[in-house]
Structures are given as structure tokens and as C-alpha cells.
Amino acid sequence: AMRVKVYCAATLSVQGLKNSVDLTELSESGGNFRCATACASSGDAVTLNFSLPLGEQMQAFKLQAVVRNVEADAHGHKYGVEFVELGRAARSALQEWVCVTLIQLAEPKRAPASAD
């Protein structure tokens, strides 16, 4: 699925422990996030809680996922997750957010109108 870059604070729950993470990419089927410390392992079942702007409101998400990959670097740890048991409403909201974001990215930037 097409992934879109995002910069969004989120909460990750793993086996009852909560960590603050930063979402960096999202699609309708998964995403990536970063954490300063090791907070999950490949294969772990996790819950991601975050909100995204959808229309004129913020849409809250609480999504179940499985960690599919983990990478460590000088800035912490990067995780790739696949969403599981995604309900129809959540999938639709993610699809809408991805589509709207892609359209906004494709629109040419317009210069402000000059005052005569």
C-alpha cells in the first residue's frame, strides 16, 4: 500500500507498557514509527493510539498491529508495523487520510496574489 510521510506523536502499548513514539509513515495497512529506546521486538503484538486531521476534525485511532521489522541507528529505533483486525471504519478513515494527503502533496504551490 502507498505510504505517506507523517509526523505525529503516538502512544505505543506493548504487553501493558506504554511508550511515546513518533509516527513517520502511514498507509491503510501499516506504518513506521520511531522510539528513542527499544520498545518492541519483531513479532510483538502492539496497540498504536494517535490522531490525524480528517476534514475539519481530528480522528482518533486505536489500532492493533504486529511489529514486522526493527532497525537501530544513532537516533534510536525504527519499527515497521502491519495493522491487524482493522475495522471497516478505521480502514476507510486511513484510506481517506492517505488520499487527501497525496492530493495535497501533488497540488502545485500557489504564490500569494499581489496587491495592485
Side-chain angles (χ1 to χ4, degrees):
M2 176 72 79
R3 288 193 176 192
V4 175
K5 292 206 180 290
V6 63
Y7 301 97
C8 175
T11 301
L12 176 79
S13 299
V14 184
Q15 298 175 352
L17 300 175
K18 293 186 178 184
N19 292 285
S20 294
V21 299
D22 294 315
L23 288 176
T24 58
E25 289 183 330
L26 274 177
S27 76
E28 68 181 77
S29 61
N32 290 331
F33 65 88
R34 294 192 70 80
C35 189
T37 61
C39 59
S41 299
S42 185
D44 282 353
V46 301
T47 303
L48 274 172
N49 289 286
F50 58 95
S51 295
L52 295 172
L54 205 56
E56 297 192 17
Q57 299 180 18
M58 293 298 285
Q59 170 78 39
F61 292 89
K62 182 177 182 179
L63 304 178
Q64 306 303 311
V66 174
V67 176
R68 295 298 183 202
N69 59 53
V70 180
E71 296 176 23
D73 61 24
H75 303 290
H77 294 77
K78 180 179 175 182
Y79 298 85
V81 294
E82 176 184 7
F83 299 136
V84 295
E85 300 177 22
L86 197 59
R88 184 175 291 159
R91 183 177 301 280
S92 178
L94 282 172
Q95 285 174 336
E96 180 180 342
W97 182 83
V98 168
C99 289
V100 167
T101 302
L102 288 171
I103 289 168
Q104 289 171 344
L105 291 172
E107 290 177 347
K109 303 289 183 213
R110 297 182 185 177
S114 62
D116 288 334

